[in-house]
């Protein structure tokens, strides 16, 4: 059995030790948690959400390009604005035409989608960067129409 | 023996730690639940924007006037539906290239590749036009006469003219208008485009007697019915 003096000293320290212990435990917990969240979980989700948004943007853009083409008999020039997000997962991106497909080129991923266009579309070309106003331009040429992705005025 | 006061102090220190432990546990549980919910939400959202876009675009092309199955805008040709197959559709619309898909009109499967069980479906209302051919061998006389009235409307008439010797058919009239004329005599098969919008009376001019069967008239009445075009795409 210890002497009563020593016991009194220990009792004096108890609140300090217990609070310090508690605080350090919580700090450790918060630290581990933040590392886990911001080191893995959150970026994963941002990537997943970004890719999903990219896919939708591309699907919407390809539908808009297809819808902009008038029937064959119409002798008209069509200019149609398309709504796409300015940034995906915090960075700008590019949508361009490659071989009758629409390609979304993002620093983190690339997506491709074949366009479904009427037969009388002779050629498809051009590209959009997400910082500009995206416009589909359909012009009449001999034997059909051409489709171009051009930049309009952001207004 | 320890005095009762010291005992109580030790209990207090442990209670504090226990509370922290419980709080940490609760936080972790909440975080785990949140992550799980986020995961399921994202999984649910992963449904197929691309699939839908493909189905919308392809069904739109199919009902357009220049579509492979269409006769006019939103009017499908029944015989084209019979002839359609999945390979030619996939070749024509590259968006379908790597997808399982099914195209149905009404209850009938027009084209199917794979089994698009949980695909996205787009429906459009269309008219299906079935064109059949019917042939008449009317009694006609070469002096004009009353002619023959076609019982149903048609957009073209095919005439097979095989007059016997000594008989000449010079002119064929539809509703009084000359549609075929040859002073030296008509012979063989001729196709004549006519108006779909009026009832037609056909008569011939010429010389000599025309026994039954010398002139066969084939016409092409169409039956329209409403149907639902369904395009299901499972990418």
């Amino acid at each position: 059995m210890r002497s009563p003096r020593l016991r009194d000293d220990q009792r004096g320290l108890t609140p300090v030790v217990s609070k310090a212990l508690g605080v350090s435990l919580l700090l450790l917990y918060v630290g581990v948690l933040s590392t886990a969240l911001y080191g893995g979980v959150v970026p994963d989700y941002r990537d997943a959400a970004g890719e999903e948004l990219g896919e939708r943007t591309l699907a919407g853009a390809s539908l808009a390009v297809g819808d902009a083409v008038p029937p064959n008999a119409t002798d008209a020039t069509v200019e149609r604005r398309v709504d796409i997000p300015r940034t995906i997962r915090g960075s700008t991106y590019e949508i361009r035409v490659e071989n009758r497909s629409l390609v979304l080129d993002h620093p983190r991923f690339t997506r491709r989608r074949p366009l479904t266009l009427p037969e009388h579309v002779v050629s498809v070309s051009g590209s959009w960067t997400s910082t500009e106003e995206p416009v589909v331009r359909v012009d009449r040429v001999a034997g059909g129409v051409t489709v171009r992705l051009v930049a309009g005025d952001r207004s | 023996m320890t005095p009762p006061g010291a005992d109580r102090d030790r209990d207090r220190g442990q209670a504090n730690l226990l509370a922290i432990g419980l709080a940490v546990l609760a936080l972790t549980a909440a975080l785990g639940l949140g992550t799980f919910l986020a995961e399921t939400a994202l999984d649910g959202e992963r449904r197929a924007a691309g699939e839908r876009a493909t189905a919308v675009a392809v069904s739109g092309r199919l009902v357009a006037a220049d579509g492979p199955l269409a006769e006019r805008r939103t009017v499908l040709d029944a015989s084209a539906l019979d002839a359609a197959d999945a390979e030619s559709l996939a070749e024509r619309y590259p968006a379908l290239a790597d997808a399982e898909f099914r195209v149905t009109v009404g209850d009938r499967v027009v084209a199917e590749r794979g089994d698009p069980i949980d695909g996205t479906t787009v429906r459009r209302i269309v008219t299906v036009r079935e064109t059949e051919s019917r042939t008449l061998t009317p009694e006609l006389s070469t002096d004009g006469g009353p002619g023959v009235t076609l019982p149903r409307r048609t957009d073209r008439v095919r005439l097979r003219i095989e007059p016997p010797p000594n008989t000449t058919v010079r002119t064929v009239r539809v509703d009084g208008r000359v549609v075929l004329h040859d002073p030296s005599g008509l012979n063989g098969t001729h196709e004549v485009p006519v108006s779909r919008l009026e009832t037609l009376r056909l008569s011939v001019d010429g010389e000599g007697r025309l026994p039954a069967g010398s002139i066969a008239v084939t016409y092409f009445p169409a039956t329209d019915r409403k149907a639902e075009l369904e395009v299901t795409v499972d990418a």
Side-chain angles (χ1 to χ4, degrees):
Chain A
M1 195 127 188
R2 294 178 197 119
S3 71
R5 252 196 97 200
L6 206 56
R7 277 190 67 86
D8 279 355
D9 278 356
Q10 279 183 332
R11 272 180 55 190
L13 271 176
T14 301
V16 179
V17 170
S18 110
K19 294 241 159 40
L21 206 66
V23 166
S24 57
L25 264 179
L26 277 182
L27 277 180
L28 195 70
Y29 176 76
V30 169
V32 166
L33 214 60
S34 316
T35 317
L37 280 180
Y38 291 99
V41 179
V42 171
D44 279 0
Y45 278 121
R46 289 193 67 193
D47 282 349
E51 282 180 34
E52 186 63 33
L53 180 60
E55 211 137 281
R56 281 180 192 202
T57 305
L58 193 59
S62 70
L63 270 185
V65 171
D67 284 349
V69 180
N72 199 7
T74 327
D75 189 3
T77 301
V78 175
E79 240 183 58
R80 184 175 157 153
R81 267 165 208 219
V82 180
D83 197 17
I84 61 173
R86 202 183 255 269
T87 60
I88 291 178
R89 209 225 179 278
S91 33
T92 59
Y93 56 95
E94 194 189 56
I95 293 180
R96 60 173 191 277
V97 175
E98 250 175 41
N99 193 18
R100 271 176 112 93
S101 292
L102 222 51
V103 177
L104 191 150
D105 206 353
H106 188 272
R108 282 171 176 272
F109 58 88
T110 305
R111 286 277 180 283
R112 168 184 290 273
R113 237 189 107 67
L115 285 166
T116 305
L117 293 170
E119 314 265 287
H120 59 275
V121 174
V122 178
S123 75
V124 197
S125 60
S127 68
W128 292 329
T129 46
S130 63
T131 45
E132 294 164 332
E133 172 87 11
V135 170
V136 189
R137 222 186 126 83
V138 182
D139 289 303
R140 185 118 209 132
V141 294
V145 296
T146 58
V147 175
R148 274 184 304 149
L149 312 188
V150 296
D153 310 319
R154 191 64 108 159
S155 54
Chain B
M1 259 205 65
T2 39
D7 225 18
R8 212 183 301 134
D9 275 354
R10 208 176 297 136
D11 279 352
R12 277 217 325 245
Q14 279 168 356
N16 210 350
L17 215 59
L18 194 72
I20 291 176
L22 278 177
V24 164
L25 206 68
L27 268 175
T28 313
L31 192 75
L33 190 71
T35 317
F36 172 74
L37 285 180
E39 186 69 45
T40 48
L42 200 63
D43 268 352
E45 279 309 289
R46 227 165 254 163
R47 97 202 113 96
E51 243 171 55
R52 214 187 85 78
T54 304
V56 168
V58 169
S59 65
R61 299 285 7 122
L62 288 181
V63 301
D66 57 352
L69 310 176
E71 196 171 288
R72 298 201 308 271
R73 196 172 139 74
T74 73
V75 179
L76 303 185
D77 180 359
S79 54
L81 294 182
D82 291 335
D85 67 283
E87 290 320 306
S88 61
L89 282 183
E91 205 172 296
R92 198 180 175 103
Y93 303 117
L96 290 175
D98 321 315
E100 299 189 329
F101 65 93
R102 182 190 300 131
V103 178
T104 62
V105 173
D107 299 329
R108 195 162 107 208
V109 177
V110 173
E112 184 174 35
R113 189 170 69 187
D115 190 17
I117 254 173
D118 35 43
T120 312
T121 301
V122 171
R123 292 186 184 82
R124 285 175 192 263
I125 293 175
V126 293
T127 306
V128 178
R129 162 160 299 177
E130 197 149 0
T131 309
E132 50 194 335
S133 72
R134 290 193 189 165
T135 304
L136 290 177
T137 47
E139 297 265 1
L140 290 166
S141 62
T142 51
D143 57 2
V148 57
T149 303
L150 297 187
R152 303 243 333 248
R153 289 179 188 183
T154 174
D155 59 351
R156 61 189 202 276
V157 173
R158 192 187 298 145
L159 293 162
R160 191 174 45 78
I161 305 172
E162 285 169 350
N166 306 325
T167 302
T168 314
V169 176
R170 290 210 185 85
T171 307
V172 176
R173 293 173 199 270
V174 171
D175 280 348
R177 285 192 299 274
V178 174
V179 291
L180 289 173
H181 178 73
D182 189 343
S184 58
L186 289 160
N187 216 322
T189 306
H190 303 268
E191 196 157 302
V192 179
V194 294
S195 167
R196 223 164 37 81
L197 303 176
E198 49 192 25
T199 306
L200 305 173
R201 212 181 70 238
L202 205 108
S203 58
V204 294
D205 275 349
E207 267 162 25
R209 282 194 61 252
L210 273 179
S214 311
I215 296 187
V217 181
T218 307
Y219 61 103
F220 305 89
T223 319
D224 289 353
R225 67 192 158 82
K226 257 187 201 137
E228 211 171 53
L229 170 75
E230 241 181 65
V231 178
T232 306
V233 177
D234 187 2

